[in-house]
Amino acid sequence: NAGVTQTPKFRILKIGQSMTLQCTQDMNHNYMYWYRQDPGMGLKLIYYSVGAGITDKGEVPNGYNVSRSTTEDFPLRLELAAPSQTSVYFCASSRGTGEGEQYFGPGTRLTVT
Amino acid sequence: DAKTTQPPSMDCAEGRAANLPCNHSTISGNEYVYWYRQIHSQGPQYIIHGLKNNETNEMASLIITEDRKSSTLILPHATLRDTAVYYCIVRGGNTNAGKSTFGDGTTLTVKP
């Protein structure tokens, strides 16, 4: 199993541009998550999904959108990029929320200038 | 979900046990305690989790107090490669799928 994969690894955006961060998992997990991590800080939850077609907001959803059309994929869309969105973005998946550890991808480092 | 409190940093001598504490005084009955670690800027890595009983695996041991308001992660023989940020979080119940939070964690530095 590849686990959780994310693309791209690095990206530089200009202010106002848009992009989609891709996330795919091959473990047939129902739950998927997007986090952002600013330098020296912990992870903050942006959006999560409990299954195909079902998504919900986390702590910091403003400026982002998600969709979940399949079990495997959970893309994160940035519209009108702002410097405050400069961060490292991690995707994760889990079998459940109670007894089910999260598996994290390698991250996407995004810079908005 | 319950919030957690961890010391910002700790040091440990190589070969000695590292004991990392976590307070989760508002934990509810169906919430598990999870520990993860993050080395450099990699994605967090799962270490161990527990509900009520103490747990042990090949990486670490988890001691949960009887009232479940705090826990301790034990790395029995710390190595330089255990230098990382360690996160304690609580998660549980299908109604709380998105509410578990990662605080700022404890930066463990293992010294030769």
Side-chain angles (χ1 to χ4, degrees), chain B residues 22-91:
Chain B
C22 180
N23 286 322
H24 31 79
S25 58
T26 59
I27 192 170
S28 58
N30 65 348
E31 289 181 319
Y32 290 77
V33 179
Y34 279 80
W35 283 84
Y36 292 81
R37 72 180 182 185
Q38 187 176 27
I39 298 174
H40 299 301
S41 296
Q42 299 174 21
Q45 174 193 21
Y46 166 79
I47 301 173
I48 197 167
H49 75 282
L51 182 62
K52 295 180 182 178
N53 300 322
N54 299 337
E55 303 287 344
T56 295
N57 63 20
E58 64 278 5
M59 291 182 67
S61 295
L62 173 61
I63 308 297
I64 303 174
T65 58
E66 192 169 344
D67 63 8
R68 303 211 320 126
K69 293 184 177 182
S70 65
S71 60
T72 301
L73 178 74
I74 301 172
L75 307 177
H77 305 287
T79 71
L80 300 179
R81 287 174 295 182
D82 291 322
T83 291
V85 179
Y86 288 78
Y87 296 100
C88 164
I89 68 169
V90 291
R91 295 176 60 216

Side-chain angles (χ1 to χ4, degrees), chain A:
Chain A
N1 288 347
V4 179
T5 57
Q6 293 183 237
T7 57
K9 286 187 170 55
F10 304 93
R11 183 72 186 268
I12 299 174
L13 281 181
K14 294 189 185 302
I15 294 171
Q17 288 185 322
S18 300
M19 77 165 293
T20 299
L21 282 65
Q22 301 291 345
C23 175
T24 300
Q25 54 93 7
D26 62 0
M27 296 171 282
N28 202 33
H29 286 165
N30 284 326
Y31 294 80
M32 296 188 74
Y33 314 79
W34 274 106
Y35 294 89
R36 60 174 288 172
Q37 185 175 35
D38 298 331
M41 307 294 284
L43 283 74
K44 293 188 185 301
L45 182 66
I46 305 171
Y47 271 96
Y48 68 98
S49 170
V50 302
I54 306 169
T55 63
D56 204 352
K57 298 177 180 178
E59 300 173 81
V60 290
N62 291 342
Y64 307 94
N65 280 300
V66 294
S67 60
R68 184 97 181 270
S69 57
T70 66
T71 299
E72 295 78 18
D73 300 307
F74 190 39
L76 177 72
R77 179 79 177 166
L78 278 72
E79 305 282 2
L80 298 175
S84 61
Q85 293 178 305
T86 293
S87 192
V88 180
Y89 292 84
F90 291 103
C91 178
S93 72
S94 68
R95 175 168 50 85
T97 59
E99 185 129 41
E101 65 265 32
Q102 290 172 296
Y103 294 80
F104 284 81
T108 294
R109 187 176 298 276
L110 175 68
T111 302
V112 181
T113 62

